[in-house]
Every structure is written in structure tokens, then in C-alpha cells.
Amino acid sequence: MRWAGSKRTQSLPGSIRGYSSSGRLKEGSATTETYDLSVIIPTFNEEENIAAIIGAVNEVFRQNGIRGEILVMDDDSKDRTIEIVQEIAGQHDNVRLIVRKDDHGLSQSVVEGFGAARSAILQVIDADFSHPPELIPRFYEAIQDGADIAIGSRYMRGGNIEDWPLKRRVISLGATAFGRMLFPEITDPVSGFFAVRREVVAGAPLAPRGYKILMEVLGRGWWETFVEIPFIFKDREEGESKLRADTMVDYLKQCAGIVRFAVARRSGPVWTEWTKIVRFGLVGLSGILVNMGLLYALTEVAGLYYLVSAAIAIELSIVNNFVWNDLWTFKSVRDLRFGRRIQRFLSFQVVSMGGLIINMGILYLLADIVGIYYLVANLAGILVAFAWNYAVNRHFTWVET
């Protein structure tokens, strides 16, 4: 098994995106394989959907010649979910039910399902038809073709979200933004629709919590390659959404745990990315020192009008930041050709101006409109501008090839 590191583009057919990485290896334990594919469905009070989703998955198996099993991991439902699955399992040998009495949670259910599955390829899908079961063969083929993880993406070209209220869209985008700070090459790292090779999770120190099990697999699993498959997310057809306020708290704790895990081991994609973030921040601090020093020197020593001094100081601090980021922060993707360096500088200049506008806009909005103390408002503006500057430069100015 492989520990994920820096990624490089991999050629894959169709509209599936693919990347690979290099890292250290770890041996896994053998498992008895009686199926080609195990579809894991975590459930809690899904009596309205469970029979239909099992039927749909089995039909996908039949139409595509896949020898698959369906493993329902239930968190001791209080409705008729268990009874319905038991009845179906009595009629279909490839349907199994595991009722979990303790440590309830979607992520915990999926991890237990990883261990109970009887195949080398594991697919996770929701019971409420928000994930289209007809796409299962594409995930299966992606793993067969060499990917360690196949991820359904709502945010790449061809993906979308239907019938979601604004509040859920905002929450989802926020969670995705956090996830992309850890895994910037993945457009939807919080997707619940994914397939994984057993070796990725076998023996991995997963610490499941909440709903974002894919983040845990990416952060602690042993993987080298991944692909993304676009899909259209549809809100649940029947039943009630389980999104709660504590879900967001669990997610933030999960992200923090993944970062601590990466820092403790000083390896993996999260460690690589956060090394860049810290360097980018340190370079930004050096730019502040350059800005303040030049503003003072040009105004007090050279006698220039302070606004002229400020304009010169801002521009030279941008030059300072570009040079250090080009030589240090993003040295792994640096192209030394003069023309490419000029292109990077111009891109960095535009992004920096955008960050300045964001900073000033948030300062004005929070201080003058909301009434927040101006120093606190300015700090908020700096943080948002920093996130903007890093994210945009990471994906456009210094693009990994």
C-alpha cells in the first residue's frame, strides 16, 4: 500500500480526471474475496428508500455483469429499515445486513463496512438516491484500471447539485473549501460517493467521525492514485435530511485531526500542502515588514508624499513576495524560463490586487456597516485575503504539471 504524496497528472479515458503520487509502502493483510464489488450503504431510518436503492443497485449489477454484494450498515434504525432489509436478504444471497448497536455515525458505519466487505473493491453510496446508482460501473472500472480511489464530484465539469436550498449550498461550499485546503487537487474531497481499493483502508489508522468519511480516507489511507467522476447530486427523494449544527463541528474537528496526523508523521499530501501554506504565510509577513519599512523610509527620510510612498511600498512588497514564493514556497513547480516567470509575476500581481480589494472591502463592510471594531474587522479582512491569495495563486499562478 502507498502513502499519498505529491501528485502528478495521469492520463485516463473519458471525462474522468486522474492524478497520481509517490510515497512509502506498507503491506496489507489478505482477505477472502467472493465478489467483484461490495456496495456499502450506511442507513438510519431509511424505510422509505432502502428497498428501492437495493433494487436499483442489483439491477446495475445485472445489466453490467458485475458480481457484486450489497452490504447495508444500519445504525439500529427505529423504523422498519431493518425488517425490510432482512426480508430482502432472505430472497437475495448477495444482500447482507449488519446492525450496529454502539458507536453510531455514518463514518463509523462505513469503516466497519470496509472490514466486513467480501471484495477487493469497496463502493460507498447513500440510501436516499442522492448518489445515482447507475454510475457505479464507472467507479468500478476506474479502480480496475488502476486508481486507488474513485471520487464522485459535484464541482467538476459535468457535476452539479439539484434542488438544494441556499443554506445547504453555502454550507457545502464552505466544507468543500476547507477540504480543498488539505487536498487542493481534488474538487470534491467531502463527497460521500466514492469507491476505494481495499488496500487503501486495510490497516489504515482511520478515526471516523461525522459524515465526511472520504476526508478520513484521503487523510489517513494508503493511496497513490485517484480519479474524479462528475455526477449530479439530487436531494433525497424520501425521508428527512440528517444535517445538524453539530455536523459542522465534527467536520472541523476531523480536519484538525487530519492535520495533526500529517504533522506528527511529516508525510502525506496534507503535510506537503500545509508546508506550502506556512511558507506562503511567512513570505506574507516578510512583505508586511518590507511595506512598513519602505513606507516609513520614503515618507520620513526621502520626504515623499505618504500616498506616493504607500503605492511604491505596496508594489515593492508584492515583488518581494513573488520572488520568495517563486524561489521557496512553490519551488517544486517553478519554471525558470524568463517568459513563464513574467507570466507568473503578472498573475501574482493581479491576484494580490484582488486580495487588497477583498481586504479593504471586508474592513469597510464589518467596520462601517456591521459596527465591528476596525482592528478586528481588518484582521478578518487579512485572513480572507490570505485565503484568496493562496488558493488562487496555488491553482493559477503556480500550477503543478
Side-chain angles (χ1 to χ4, degrees), residues 97-282:
L97 168 68
I98 295 178
V99 179
R100 305 177 64 253
K101 299 294 184 180
D102 303 307
D103 192 23
H104 293 161
L106 183 144
S107 293
Q108 296 93 312
S109 295
V110 171
V111 170
E112 187 170 332
F114 288 159
R118 296 172 179 169
S119 73
I121 301 176
L122 315 173
Q123 171 87 51
V124 179
I125 186 171
D126 282 354
D128 59 11
F129 283 92
S130 56
H131 303 149
E134 60 269 20
L135 289 182
I136 288 175
R138 293 195 66 190
F139 288 80
Y140 176 63
E141 291 167 5
I143 301 297
Q144 281 192 316
D145 288 342
D148 291 318
I149 305 175
I151 301 168
S153 175
R154 300 161 293 179
Y155 298 112
M156 66 183 296
R157 179 175 297 180
N160 201 357
I161 297 175
E162 292 184 352
D163 304 323
W164 251 15
L166 179 61
K167 179 180 178 180
R168 290 198 68 184
R169 287 180 180 270
V170 171
I171 292 173
S172 176
L173 287 171
T176 303
F178 261 91
R180 293 201 68 183
M181 288 188 69
L182 303 183
F183 308 101
E185 301 299 339
I186 301 176
T187 63
D188 198 354
V190 296
S191 174
F193 190 24
F194 66 95
V196 63
R197 195 179 301 276
R198 176 182 289 278
E199 287 82 1
V200 171
V201 295
L206 303 179
R209 68 161 66 234
Y211 289 81
K212 307 304 182 186
I213 179 57
L214 177 59
M215 286 282 290
E216 199 66 26
V217 172
L218 292 171
R220 301 174 189 262
W222 307 98
W223 58 277
E224 182 180 47
T225 59
F226 77 89
V227 299
E228 290 193 280
I229 300 170
F231 80 102
I232 298 176
F233 182 96
K234 297 180 180 180
D235 206 5
R236 59 171 41 246
E237 296 185 359
E238 301 289 345
E240 181 181 355
S241 174
K242 302 174 182 66
L243 182 65
R244 302 185 304 270
D246 58 358
T247 301
M248 292 180 279
V249 175
D250 281 340
Y251 176 62
L252 294 176
K253 289 180 179 178
Q254 181 185 40
C255 290
I258 290 172
V259 171
R260 288 195 301 270
F261 179 82
V263 170
R265 284 153 182 78
R266 298 177 181 270
S267 64
V270 177
W271 169 254
T272 300
E273 196 61 29
W274 276 77
T275 299
K276 292 178 182 177
I277 292 174
V278 170
R279 288 179 176 180
F280 194 83
L282 292 175

Side-chain angles (χ1 to χ4, degrees), residues 7 11 21 38 74 104 107 123 134 137 150 155 165 178-179 189 195 232 237 256 262 266 283 323 336 364 386-387 397:
K7 305 176 182 69
S11 177
S21 60
S38 295
D74 187 81
H104 293 161
S107 293
Q123 171 87 51
E134 60 269 20
Y155 298 112
F178 261 91
I232 298 176
E237 296 185 359
R266 298 177 181 270
V283 169
V323 170
L336 294 177
Y364 173 77
F386 174 82
T397 305

